[in-house]
Amino acid sequence: MSSVPLIRTARKEDCKEIQRLIQELATYEKFPHAPKLKVEDLERDGFESSPPKFKCFVAENPDNEEELCGYAMYYPTYSAWDGKAIRLEDLFVAPEGRGTGLGKRLFSLVAKEALEGNYCRVEFTALGWNQAAGFYTHLGAENTTSSEDRNVWRLYRSGMEKLLENSNLN
Ligand SMILES: CC(C)(COP(=O)(O)OP(=O)(O)OC[C@H]1O[C@@H](n2cnc3c(N)ncnc32)[C@H](O)[C@@H]1OP(=O)(O)O)[C@@H](O)C(=O)NCCC(=O)NCCS
């Protein structure tokens, strides 16, 4: 990259590029068919909802003003033990921008927002094989699957429907 990418808060008109990078990250993670959101969904949820469902930092590609070369998507969540927390949903740097400190800058901006907003932590998941584990460890994060045997669980819509068929709710 010819110069240091500018990082800024995302704007509604970035959603097309954010969606492209979401797809790139999903492909990297070997789930190329997983992203289902359209640009309009991101526009609605991030920029037309109050409060927004997510926030995002984006990095502009210094070699192509039409392109973004990285993003960090995050939103507030809550810990029953420690109070308000930030969930980092996605962190991605395009291959040509990697290894230049861009991922660290994006991650640090989320940490800065968490510290300044008095959030207790930044939490996120990473696939077991992903070498990003080295990056996160290097930057001070702890893998709670190793340290606390904490696993990630999900109840999908089909599971919710089945559950409610067999639940005695009043
Ligand atoms: C993971 C990722 C965001 C890191 O961004 P990056 O711009 O390549 O990393 P940086 O150049 O900012 O590295 C910051 C520091 O981490 C270190 N680092 C980076 N990758 C590392 C690794 N795999 N293991 C150990 N240290 C690592 C760097 O040496 C650097 O150290 P320094 O600050 O002491 O000089 C980027 O590689 C990426 O987008 N990968 C593909 C997508 C991905 O895995 N996203 C995370 C999904 S959970």
Side-chain angles (χ1 to χ4, degrees):
M1 247 164 209
S2 59
S3 54
V4 179
L6 175 92
I7 300 180
R8 58 171 170 77
T9 302
R11 303 189 278 258
K12 186 174 169 183
E13 54 271 29
D14 294 318
C15 286
K16 187 160 177 266
E17 274 296 288
I18 293 171
Q19 191 211 32
R20 182 180 67 77
L21 295 181
I22 289 171
Q23 181 62 56
E24 270 202 51
L25 174 57
T27 302
Y28 170 84
E29 291 183 315
K30 303 181 186 144
F31 290 99
H33 303 298
K36 294 176 187 64
L37 297 184
K38 300 192 182 83
V39 175
E40 305 86 76
D41 298 318
L42 294 169
E43 288 175 345
R44 179 196 61 227
D45 293 343
F47 302 92
E48 294 164 7
S49 302
S50 182
K53 304 287 186 290
F54 68 86
K55 292 170 83 179
C56 207
F57 289 114
V58 294
E60 293 181 355
N61 184 344
D63 300 327
N64 181 346
E65 61 179 26
E66 314 260 291
E67 276 192 4
L68 299 177
C69 59
Y71 73 108
M73 177 185 276
Y74 61 98
Y75 50 85
T77 179
Y78 198 80
S79 159
W81 291 353
D82 300 310
K84 56 184 195 154
I86 282 186
R87 158 89 185 185
L88 175 64
E89 178 66 16
D90 278 1
L91 176 66
F92 181 75
V93 172
E96 64 274 20
R98 288 182 199 155
T100 63
L102 183 52
K104 182 177 177 176
R105 288 170 65 212
L106 285 163
F107 192 53
S108 300
L109 276 171
V110 177
K112 181 171 187 277
E113 184 151 329
L115 263 184
E116 291 177 354
N118 209 23
Y119 291 83
C120 66
R121 63 180 177 242
V122 176
E123 55 188 47
F124 47 93
T125 60
L127 294 166
W129 56 261
N130 191 349
Q131 50 80 31
F135 165 83
Y136 290 127
T137 304
H138 185 68
L139 298 184
E142 178 181 319
N143 179 343
T144 58
T145 306
S146 310
S147 65
E148 300 178 3
D149 195 21
R150 198 168 288 278
N151 296 282
V152 178
W153 288 67
R154 290 176 180 173
L155 180 64
Y156 289 107
R157 285 189 67 83
S158 57
M160 294 179 216
E161 283 159 7
K162 206 174 269 176
L163 174 66
L164 292 189
E165 277 167 22
N166 300 306
S167 296
N168 194 10
L169 299 183
N170 356 319

